[in-house]
Amino acid sequence: MKIVLFYHSLISDWNHGNAHFLRGIVSELLARNHEVHVHEPADSWSVQNLVDEHGEGAIDAFHRAYPALQSHRDGDNLDLDEALDGADLVIVHEWNAHSLVQRIGEHRANSRTYRLLFHDTHHRAITAREEMTAYDLSHYDGVLAYGDVLRRMYMEEAWTQRAWTWHEAADTRVFHPHPEIPRTRDLVWVGNWGDDERSAELHEFLIGPTRALGLDATVYGVRYPKEGLAALEAAGMEYGGWLPNFRAPQVFAAYRMTVHVPRRPYVQALRGIPTIRPFEALACGIPLISAPWEDVEGLFEPGRDFLVARNQAEMQRTMQALLMDKAMAREIAEHGLATIRAKHTCAHRVDQLLVICEELRAP
């Protein structure tokens, strides 16, 4: 098939976790001999911020890490007839401009030669409803939603007539254990500050326990405010800044554990959506402790794939237990890794996508 993808960015993952999944999906499609074209805006904020902070060398590093992945960086004069010529499947991500989403829909209405899907991997349906209702999906064949609660919302609100749950997953070509690297440090956390969506939670489930236990810990991510950086310093935590996703597996390998601190919308309104970070951590074989998060879709086995801490005191005790009991830590890591390999790789998600394509072809 010829598959055309319109996303915010393939080449930059600065504050843009969706790039991780996109890279994995494109890699898997190419490995299956599909023709894949990725389009992203020439002025994407993720690329601009990455280059401003780290220079063009960060883009060069991406191309060295993913030599098979390329993207078209489009300006306002994108020729859709040319871009979509011969396409069998087109997927448009929800970070695209409303105008482009509408233009592609209108092109689909006049063409009918390809199937067109909208892909939602964010919580804006809850937190920025007016932005989502402004998208014109009337000519789209359906929606790929990265959680069942989000899929149901699209159907209940009549934003689409067909929708499928399409969770993110780990790109196991990149995210896998590195047993050759010794685990010499205690705790690592990879994640962005997240505006004010989890500030209190980061203090309760990450910074507070780390400080109380005096752990050797590092935090990676971007958009940390001054008060956040000050809290890390006060807790004795090293701040590593932006971490390219393809370097994360080697970083995970050097630490004894990591944690998952979900943003508030995924705890309160969009339950069952874990985001991509836990998938990637488990794929690397590092023991994971999660702040409260309700796995209503049964993606994992809490207590076996990862441990759960309901408050700061529990998080502190669980961290200490993992550090003291190496057998338990190994068992948790191995079970989580096995679950990823069995159910949650980008290969599994491409299998699902191809089944959806067959459904769309059916009369």
Side-chain angles (χ1 to χ4, degrees), residues 1-7 10 22-39 68-72 83 86-91 350 353-354:
M1 286 197 302
K2 178 178 180 179
I3 303 169
V4 184
L5 308 173
F6 292 86
Y7 280 71
L10 176 74
L22 176 61
R23 292 166 180 177
I25 291 298
V26 174
S27 296
E28 183 64 28
L29 288 168
L30 290 174
R32 301 187 190 196
N33 296 317
H34 294 286
E35 180 184 349
V36 185
H37 296 265
V38 180
H39 291 261
L69 303 191
Q70 302 290 331
S71 65
H72 306 273
D88 299 294
L89 173 66
V90 179
I91 304 177
V350 166
L353 180 63
L354 297 179

Side-chain angles (χ1 to χ4, degrees), residues 115-278:
R115 297 304 182 190
L116 177 60
L117 296 171
F118 187 72
H119 186 198
D120 192 339
T121 63
H122 202 262
H123 56 64
R124 290 193 298 160
I126 291 290
T127 58
R129 183 182 175 84
E130 68 285 351
E131 294 183 26
M132 300 309 295
T133 56
Y135 284 116
D136 180 4
L137 304 181
S138 56
H139 300 301
Y140 282 64
D141 293 297
V143 169
L144 301 171
Y146 80 145
D148 197 56
V149 62
L150 191 59
R151 179 196 65 80
R152 293 197 307 269
M153 182 176 300
Y154 269 88
M155 298 298 293
E156 292 165 0
E157 298 290 340
W159 293 342
T160 185
Q161 292 185 342
R162 303 183 75 177
W164 295 264
T165 300
W166 200 44
H167 284 287
E168 293 184 315
D171 177 5
T172 50
R173 286 179 171 82
V174 174
F175 288 85
H176 55 79
H178 284 270
E180 75 280 6
I181 299 176
R183 296 192 185 278
T184 58
R185 305 188 66 184
D186 294 331
L187 171 69
V188 64
W189 190 68
V190 182
N192 304 322
W193 184 262
D195 300 314
D196 197 32
E197 294 173 354
R198 58 180 168 197
S199 301
E201 291 84 350
L202 287 174
H203 281 278
E204 180 176 5
F205 294 100
L206 177 65
I207 299 172
T210 299
R211 182 172 187 173
L213 294 171
L215 301 181
D216 177 15
T218 305
V219 169
Y220 292 94
V222 301
R223 298 183 68 195
Y224 278 67
K226 290 181 180 179
E227 58 270 23
L229 294 174
L232 296 182
E233 184 178 2
M237 306 176 76
E238 180 182 347
Y239 175 60
W242 170 69
L243 179 70
N245 84 305
F246 51 83
R247 281 189 50 218
Q250 289 83 357
V251 170
F252 280 135
Y255 290 82
R256 297 182 179 92
M257 62 184 169
T258 188
V259 298
H260 174 47
V261 185
R263 297 171 188 249
R264 213 165 297 129
Y266 299 116
V267 176
Q268 297 176 348
L270 294 174
R271 293 180 297 169
I273 300 178
T275 72
I276 201 165
R277 298 289 188 185

Side-chain angles (χ1 to χ4, degrees), residues 9 11 55 74 86 152 190 201 284 295 316 326 331 357-358:
S9 185
I11 63 177
D74 304 319
R152 293 197 307 269
V190 182
E201 291 84 350
C284 291
D295 183 14
Q316 187 173 323
K326 293 183 179 179
E331 182 179 350
C357 289
E358 290 302 316

